Amino acid sequence: MLRESIHHKVPEPTLRRLPWYLAYAKLAQQQGEKYLSSTQIAHNIAVDASMVAKDLSYVNISGRTRVGYHINDLIGVLDDFLGFTGTHRAFLFGVGNLGGALLHDRGLEQFGLNIVAGFDAKYELAGTSINRIPIHHISRFEDLQQKMRVNIGILTVPVDKAQDVSNIMIAGGIKAIWNFTPFRIRVPENIVVQNTSIYAHLAVMFNRLNELK
Amino acid sequence: MLRESIHHKVPEPTLRRLPWYLAYAKLAQQQGEKYLSSTQIAHNIAVDASMVAKDLSYVNISGRTRVGYHINDLIGVLDDFLGFTGTHRAFLFGVGNLGGALLHDRGLEQFGLNIVAGFDAKYELAGTSINRIPIHHISRFEDLQQKMRVNIGILTVPVDKAQDVSNIMIAGGIKAIWNFTPFRIRVPENIVVQNTSIYAHLAVMFNRLNELK
């Protein structure tokens, strides 16, 4: 697990929990709250108050004694810190089941991810579009990338193509790969990989359900 | 974090890694391999060999010294163990961006999850369908559930509806909730919750990309 030895400023578990706090803060804001303390957040989402305080210490925000954080500030700072207010352009590789589904998900754009094109090896997909996002043959990637300089590649190809397509992405200058396949791709040290295998989560759920019986 | 104190037979990290081994085994099988050792798996997906061996010790399979596991057996046993060969019926709640996208993903069925209906509060969606999966108004859930006795509920509603809709699911007899919202729902102890917040993964990727600069 070489990659895990890299020192990161903000630990991954913190980065995964901050969106929970953000989601709760937005809900509380809708309900008319003006201030929010880490204790309130902790209580409402059933995590430890000291963990919430520690996680929020990575974010540049200061609360007021007793009342906590001003809720609008907290939301603004978290949205910003997590990158949800930016516009990060991405290419998607593999317009199959999951790839097509992700192209349908307009929610990604609300979180700062703008998929600008999809690529696939199937010639019949080239020239089509999903959700107004154009789909090109994979052979056009290098060309388009030279013009567009996209940093993020979403990997939704079949397992047996995962490594090859990752190599093509990296050769073209992609800096971060969001890997939705259950295949562990190997990449140079300076390439960011985020693994999101939703089918692995499914396995956990099936197992826990079985335990109930 | 009360829920984490429950004792599980198979640890969650193991359940999340087993699909990696399965994916690699299927790839090796395609390439004509007959046997596969934990060392080979470890080497090819860049994890520790002792971890692979330990993870596989939870699965009922025995390898042969030197050659390892018979690859067909390994695939069959893993597929089965992870629940991917079964048919688990699920209802989906919230046919918005992500919910609609998941209905489009036929891949879930290949992993044993069969979404049999979607529910939404929008009346104009009732009577429509996505990918041949019928969509009903949420008010019809209780009725349909009495006939269908579905165990799994997929939660893709807006954050401010997450808790209410979870309560409705549980009251109707749903045993496991696959929560795609960034909201931490609170559930009774005997209810399985699997959190899959893909937007939280996005935050991790954005942060790591920023560190490169």
Side-chain angles (χ1 to χ4, degrees), chain A residues 124-139:
Chain A
E124 60 268 36
L125 289 177
T128 65
S129 70
I130 292 180
N131 200 6
R132 294 190 191 162
I133 301 163
I135 297 161
H136 308 287
H137 188 259
I138 179 76
S139 59

Side-chain angles (χ1 to χ4, degrees), chain A residues 8-10 12 16 20 27 43 88 97 101 105 160 184 186 194 196 199 201-202 204 208 211, chain B residues 8-10 16 20 27 43 97 101 105-106 160 178 184 186 194 196 199 201 204 206 208 211:
Chain A
H8 293 297
K9 266 188 227 149
V10 190
E12 179 153 345
R16 293 202 180 197
W20 307 353
L27 182 63
H43 175 76
H88 304 78
N97 289 318
D105 180 14
D160 61 332
R184 300 299 88 180
R186 312 193 76 167
Q194 180 63 39
T196 301
Y199 307 124
H201 290 202
L202 205 47
V204 178
R208 299 317 185 216
E211 280 182 347
Chain B
H8 293 297
K9 266 188 227 150
V10 190
R16 293 202 180 194
W20 307 353
L27 182 62
H43 175 76
N97 289 318
D105 180 13
R106 288 165 194 272
D160 60 333
W178 194 1
R184 302 298 87 181
R186 311 194 75 168
Q194 180 63 38
T196 301
Y199 308 124
H201 291 204
V204 179
F206 290 159
R208 299 317 185 216
E211 281 183 346

